[in-house]
Amino acid sequence: MVITGTTPLYRYRTGDVVKIVRFYKQTPVFEFVSRKGQLLDVAGEKTSEACMNKVLAICSEQYWTARRLIDFTCCSSIIADLTNEKTETLLPFYIIFLELEDGGILTEKEKEKLEIVLCEESPMYVKRLRNLRNIHKMTVHVVKQGTFEKFGKRIFNSRKLVSRDRIKIPRILKNVDDFGFLMENLANDLNPNTVN
């Protein structure tokens, strides 16, 4: 990404967390890390957007090779508790929403891989899940083809944005209505419930 302008970069409010990786002469070169406020945290583990992106990339490339990931978002089960959705446990857990190319779905084993890879990539997650047992296993939902495109339009219309270019799908859902929208758009999966 190249940003030019008459004012210094520090005056822009992008809402992105960036990391300075090197300098080109006296100009910082940065890489995108995550968006501000986009940490998934149900028990102190603090899973970043960057970590979840990496986990999904690994799963998509190594375990879901027949299905390309279109988009995703996640939330804590606390959002589900604020709706009429019933949860199977009192422990908090992650809920992941995925859209796959051509309306694909995942098998239970493919869904399990997501949590296995997250455990490999996030020491704090595995500590909370396995050792301290204060996080329950995640739930993975696959949504219908086109859901994230509709979700982006919904965000545009509800948040009175100036330009569709400014739409950023939240990686961490914090809005009960957004959660409800995604639940209404689940793919016709035989068992979209918690990974066993």
Side-chain angles (χ1 to χ4, degrees):
M1 169 169 49
V2 176
I3 299 175
T4 60
T6 57
T7 58
L9 179 61
Y10 70 84
R11 300 183 116 209
Y12 290 92
R13 292 187 180 164
T14 63
D16 295 333
V17 177
V18 296
K19 175 180 164 185
I20 305 299
V21 292
R22 61 184 167 85
F23 284 85
Y24 175 75
K25 298 184 181 184
Q26 293 184 335
T27 305
V29 176
F30 58 87
E31 67 182 28
F32 173 80
V33 176
S34 64
R35 293 185 210 144
K36 184 178 176 184
Q38 295 292 290
L39 287 176
L40 194 54
D41 183 4
V42 297
E45 73 290 353
K46 295 179 178 41
T47 301
S48 70
E49 178 183 353
C51 179
M52 193 58 76
N53 277 329
K54 182 176 181 182
V55 167
L56 287 164
I58 291 169
C59 287
S60 188
E61 291 166 12
Q62 295 179 17
Y63 304 113
W64 310 336
T65 53
R67 296 162 198 86
R68 189 174 70 83
L69 179 66
I70 300 297
D71 214 336
F72 80 95
T73 191
C74 12
C75 65
S76 75
S77 59
I78 294 163
I79 296 282
D81 292 341
L82 296 173
T83 68
N84 291 330
E85 292 297 318
K86 302 288 184 225
T87 57
E88 298 174 11
T89 178
L90 295 176
L91 293 174
F93 57 94
Y94 292 3
I95 301 171
I96 315 294
F97 293 96
L98 307 171
E99 182 178 335
L100 302 171
E101 189 173 54
D102 298 327
I105 60 171
L106 296 175
T107 66
E108 289 304 311
K109 288 207 180 285
E110 288 171 321
K111 290 178 181 181
E112 288 173 5
K113 286 293 184 186
L114 187 58
E115 186 145 62
I116 291 167
V117 174
L118 181 57
C119 287
E120 291 168 357
E121 295 298 321
S122 175
M124 286 304 292
Y125 181 81
V126 73
K127 179 179 179 183
R128 302 283 183 193
L129 177 70
R130 301 247 167 87
N131 301 348
L132 299 177
R133 298 191 190 283
N134 55 6
I135 297 179
H136 195 286
K137 289 182 178 182
M138 71 173 61
T139 296
V140 179
H141 293 300
V142 178
V143 296
K144 297 173 190 170
Q145 187 173 3
T147 295
F148 278 92
E149 184 179 339
K150 291 178 192 170
F151 188 37
K153 289 176 184 174
R154 186 176 189 277
I155 290 169
F156 177 78
N157 292 331
S158 68
R159 295 181 179 64
K160 310 283 190 263
L161 299 173
V162 177
S163 167
R164 286 188 189 250
D165 297 340
R166 302 275 303 148
I167 297 172
K168 291 184 179 180
I169 298 294
R171 295 298 170 220
I172 311 299
L173 287 179
K174 296 181 179 174
N175 182 305
V176 174
D177 292 335
D178 291 345
F179 175 82
F181 171 80
L182 291 168
M183 289 300 291
E184 290 169 3
N185 284 280
L186 295 183
N188 193 11
D189 189 340
L190 296 176
N191 186 5
N193 297 320
T194 303
V195 175
N196 296 320

